[in-house]
Amino acid sequence: MSLLQVENLEVFYGAIHALKGVSFNVEKGEVVSLIGANGAGKSTTLRALSGLVPCRGKISFRGNDLLIVPSYKRVTLGIAQSPEGRGVFPQMSVLENLEMGAYHRQDKAQIKDDLEMCFGLFPRLKERVWQMAGTLSGGEQQMLAISRALMSRPELLLLDEPSLGLAPLIVAQIFEIVKKLNQEGMTVLLVEQNARMALKISHRAYVLETGRVVMQDSAQNLLNNDEVRKSYLGI
């Protein structure tokens, strides 16, 4: 049984049919990417998984029907999202943002250990632990958004456009951290405009166009696919 199984997912924004029967799966321990042009439905897919938009179809997580679970409870099942645009709480400190990620947890000793884990991944956050999140740079806010998601101890980490608007050096650092997290056992579903970077750290990927999956394969095969190279990799 797949960790995550999505079948015939449909989302409407008013009269706009944003997702038109999207199906895919994620196995435990994988990094799976959703790639495609702007407006293809990638971020909408993640929002549907988190319960942030109404949808039809089937979403199964660890064999359980996710569509009957309210959005605020999905994090307690083991799903956490680092959203597009980071979505940090600007008037709260770095520490307070991280503590918000663990709001549902009672294991205080382990929460402290996980804070140190996040500071180990992103030392810059420890340097700015009392700084207001709204005053951080874009790269620092992205580090904070990912760390806040990790503080919930997810079994599945949803990353929505983690490289958006960041300098190349910060992008490379973020992707190295994602790769390290996966090597330590984290399952990741990645939505990313930078298809080349996404495919380089993924096991498999799905290509979306106008709300439909038009191609799926191993990440390496997609990197070498002439159509993908021409349309999404600029080669």
Side-chain angles (χ1 to χ4, degrees):
M1 181 184 298
S2 298
L3 180 65
L4 177 72
Q5 184 75 44
V6 177
E7 298 177 18
N8 298 316
L9 191 63
E10 297 199 13
V11 171
F12 288 84
Y13 294 125
I16 299 173
H17 200 176
L19 295 183
K20 307 167 185 175
V22 168
S23 298
F24 64 92
N25 67 287
V26 180
E27 305 297 330
K28 187 173 178 60
E30 284 189 310
V31 177
V32 174
S33 285
L34 306 180
I35 63 174
N38 284 332
K42 307 184 302 298
S43 292
T44 295
T45 301
L46 292 197
R47 289 173 63 81
L49 296 180
S50 293
L52 300 177
V53 294
C55 61
R56 299 194 306 228
K58 181 179 179 181
I59 305 175
S60 175
F61 180 66
R62 290 188 295 169
N64 300 310
D65 181 4
L66 208 59
L67 293 185
I68 64 174
V69 180
S71 58
Y72 68 92
K73 285 190 175 181
R74 296 187 189 187
V75 67
T76 66
L77 296 181
I79 300 175
Q81 180 169 348
S82 175
E84 181 180 8
R86 296 129 203 176
V88 300
F89 300 107
Q91 301 302 321
M92 297 171 66
S93 70
V94 167
L95 179 60
E96 289 169 331
N97 269 266
L98 293 174
E99 289 174 338
M100 284 296 291
Y103 78 95
H104 66 287
R105 296 173 53 185
Q106 303 299 321
D107 51 335
K108 293 185 178 180
Q110 192 62 57
I111 289 173
K112 184 176 180 181
D113 290 342
D114 288 346
L115 279 171
E116 291 304 319
M117 178 269 293
C118 290
F119 292 147
L121 289 172
F122 300 110
R124 201 171 303 182
L125 295 182
K126 188 168 188 177
E127 297 170 6
R128 290 157 172 73
V129 66
W130 300 113
Q131 189 170 327
M132 294 299 102
T135 67
L136 300 175
S137 70
E140 291 163 351
Q141 289 189 14
Q142 186 63 70
M143 296 173 190
L144 180 56
I146 293 173
S147 296
R148 183 182 58 193
L150 292 175
M151 286 300 296
S152 72
R153 293 206 133 203
E155 191 170 354
L156 174 63
L157 177 63
L158 309 178
L159 295 179
D160 194 355
E161 301 286 5
S163 77
L164 187 66
L166 302 184
L169 283 176
I170 300 298
V171 171
Q173 181 183 356
I174 294 290
F175 275 85
E176 278 301 312
I177 293 299
V178 175
K179 185 176 179 180
K180 179 179 179 181
L181 288 169
N182 176 248
Q183 290 171 343
E184 294 175 352
M186 180 68 66
T187 306
V188 180
L189 179 59
L190 171 65
V191 159
E192 179 53 58
Q193 189 69 26
N194 189 331
R196 181 191 302 277
M197 291 288 287
L199 291 174
K200 282 185 176 180
I201 66 166
S202 298
H203 297 91
R204 296 185 299 112
Y206 295 81
V207 181
L208 271 65
E209 286 184 7
T210 59
R212 292 186 173 90
V213 173
V214 295
M215 194 181 305
Q216 58 178 297
D217 208 334
S218 70
Q220 188 59 52
N221 285 346
L222 289 174
L223 274 170
N224 296 326
N225 181 286
D226 288 340
E227 183 179 346
V228 172
R229 288 162 65 90
K230 180 180 179 181
S231 299
Y232 302 106
L233 304 183
I235 299 176

